[in-house]
């Protein structure tokens, strides 16, 4: 059984700020609560360590599409089945929307319960909130540095 989720967050920051934060894959642990560590293997491949309720996992994922200030897509190449895409939408000069879409193959009882009860969506929304806070902080810092 494959599960998927789509979540979005509106951010008081330009797309360029949201993009700059998300495009640095090694920074993902700072806003994705379940991601413990991401290590670059080469320019498009990364080793991941994640910790979810009842499941610690390691896998390798590759970036499959990177379009500046538009989208970042990835899929796993070793370990769990997982694929996702983050898209960036300009809502105005100082506002953006980030949409996260993930497809995964839950394994084990806990992961199936998470998929069936939408716990995975709750986690994704929490993480997007963390991302929003970081992006908005970065936008304020950028505005103060540039005098806007």
């Amino acid at each position: 059984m494959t599960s998927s989720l789509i979540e979005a967050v509106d951010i008081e920051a330009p797309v360029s700020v949201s993009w700059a934060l998300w495009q640095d894959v090694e920074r993902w642990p700072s806003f994705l609560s379940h991601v413990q560590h991401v290590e670059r293997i080469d320019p498009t491949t990364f080793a991941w360590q994640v910790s979810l309720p009842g499941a610690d996992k390691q896998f390798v994922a590759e970036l499959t599409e990177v379009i500046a200030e538009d989208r970042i897509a990835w899929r796993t190449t070793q370990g769990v089945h997982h694929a996702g895409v983050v898209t960036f939408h300009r809502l105005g000069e100082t506002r953006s929307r980030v949409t996260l879409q993930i497809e995964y193959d839950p394994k084990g009882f806990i992961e199936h319960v998470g998929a069936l009860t939408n716990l995975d969506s709750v986690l994704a929304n929490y993480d997007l909130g963390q991302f929003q806070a970081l992006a908005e902080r970065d936008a304020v810092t950028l505005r103060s540095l540039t005098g806007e």
Side-chain angles (χ1 to χ4, degrees):
M1 169 182 105
T2 299
S3 291
S4 61
L5 64 89
I6 299 174
E7 302 295 338
V9 65
D10 290 351
I11 300 170
E12 293 297 326
V15 165
S16 61
V17 171
S18 296
W19 168 262
L21 180 57
W22 203 291
Q23 65 88 28
D24 184 356
V25 174
E26 291 171 299
R27 266 189 94 182
W28 289 11
S30 67
F31 57 86
L32 296 177
S33 60
H34 59 286
V35 178
Q36 301 302 304
H37 184 72
V38 179
E39 181 180 338
R40 181 181 300 273
I41 295 171
D42 63 40
T44 61
T45 310
F46 300 85
W48 292 67
Q49 289 180 311
V50 298
S51 181
L52 297 165
D56 290 337
K57 299 188 182 252
Q58 296 180 352
F59 58 88
V60 175
E62 69 176 349
L63 299 176
T64 57
E65 184 177 30
V66 178
I67 301 171
E69 297 188 11
D70 183 56
R71 65 191 299 115
I72 299 171
W74 67 90
R75 70 176 175 85
T76 55
T77 58
Q78 297 175 22
V80 299
H81 168 73
H82 174 98
V85 62
V86 177
T87 54
F88 303 84
H89 310 273
R90 183 179 182 274
L91 300 178
E93 290 298 318
T94 61
R95 293 190 70 227
S96 57
R97 176 172 294 143
V98 174
T99 302
L100 171 66
Q101 182 175 351
I102 296 176
E103 180 180 294
Y104 65 100
D105 187 12
K107 299 289 184 200
F109 178 74
I110 300 286
E111 290 181 36
H112 282 285
V113 168
L116 292 172
T117 62
N118 290 326
L119 184 58
D120 53 358
S121 290
V122 170
L123 179 61
N125 275 309
Y126 174 82
D127 289 347
L128 286 174
Q130 294 295 102
F131 176 79
Q132 177 186 25
L134 257 132
E136 290 177 354
R137 188 194 71 213
D138 285 359
V140 168
T141 301
L142 181 63
R143 281 194 299 269
S144 68
L145 290 174
T146 60
E148 293 180 18

